[in-house]
Amino acid sequence: MIGFLDLKALNQQYREELIQVVTDVIDSGWYIQGSQLAEFEKEFAAYCGTKHCIGVANGLDALTLVLRAWKELGKLKEGDEVIVPANTYIASILAITENRLKPVLVEPDEQTYNLCPTKTSAAITANTKAVLAVHLYGQLAPMPELMALADQHDLLVLEDSAQAHGAAINGKKAGNWGHASGFSFYPGKNLGALGDAGAVTTNDDELATTIRALGNYGSHKKYENLYQGVNSRLDEMQAAMLRVKLQHLDTETQRRKEIALAYAKGITHPELSQPITAHSTLTSLENHVFHLYVVRTAEREALQAHLANTGVQTLIHYPTPPHQQQAYAQWNEKTYPLTEVIHQQVLSLPISPVMTDDKVDAVIAACNSFEMP
């Protein structure tokens, strides 16, 4: 069986380094908000090209705390509208509703599955105050166009970079385009911890200070609380392991791109739509880091069964769009036709830095041998 993602093998490469840094943390006697976190924040900010990185407990908290901080700073207020793609993972929307803001779901670009500037522009009203741009599957949203639109309408832009560590347009990376960005380091991400972890990046000093306080019980100074905050901190163990893995991120990303190129060239089945990139070419692939390699077909269930029978594990990202979830029952009667078709047809093929060429070839062969029902 060709597994979808072999996390054990992925982390095994760095076993000795990981054991050493974990030992260092244990021996230090300091487990929360220590030197490992401080160094990781510096290193990840430098990697993204931003002034600030604030470690938090997970990716959802990263998005939620940015929006909360903007409310505390008077830049957002309860009921303000936030534009977000309708086909995103539900976490993007949870961050908005948790802050009592109003999500405005917008259909994506049909080819890239990211926000479309034209559709985004059409959704702007007098109540629109922010855009949450999701870099879905690892491909940057059209940030130059979205930032120009935001400047025109005086909107805040929050990047959901949970799947796009290292993706760039003209050398400018995810996390450095919007006014702030939320990252997830969930174990399966391109830069994955060995547990839950997340971070915010920003170039805004005041925002960084506010988020840091909000995630530490609302405290900027011990036993003094400016806000009714929460406990959302990236611990020393995860920070230390992320420092190790950050050193290897670009190498792993390059391998992901090699596999993506092999798939793009090798999979010739006429009924399988493959990823289309913008702001990039098939040889450079700067703006797509291929967290996922997502194909699309009207016969998804049959394709998934065929691949399973040939020993290829696949996953669906994501089977049910947010507006059809019970959590948002008030939206269940709404329809977003393109989003619904995407969620009914997409299928993620295995892609991992530790995949061998033989396994890549086997996936290609399995896809090409699929017979339409």
Side-chain angles (χ1 to χ4, degrees), residues 85-137:
N87 62 313
T88 187
Y89 180 57
I90 198 169
S92 310
I93 301 187
L94 290 171
I96 298 171
T97 56
E98 175 66 19
N99 281 287
R100 298 183 182 276
L101 301 167
K102 181 180 178 182
V104 176
L105 307 186
V106 174
E107 292 268 57
D109 179 280
E110 187 167 10
Q111 294 187 317
T112 66
Y113 308 135
N114 278 329
L115 275 178
C116 166
T118 301
K119 294 176 184 177
T120 301
S121 179
I124 295 172
T125 72
N127 296 320
T128 305
K129 301 301 177 185
V131 175
L132 204 167
V134 181
H135 306 318
L136 198 64
Y137 307 148

Side-chain angles (χ1 to χ4, degrees), residues 141-149 169-170 177 279:
M143 295 309 297
E145 296 87 342
L146 291 175
M147 292 308 298
L149 193 62
I169 297 174
N170 298 326
W177 279 96
H279 292 287

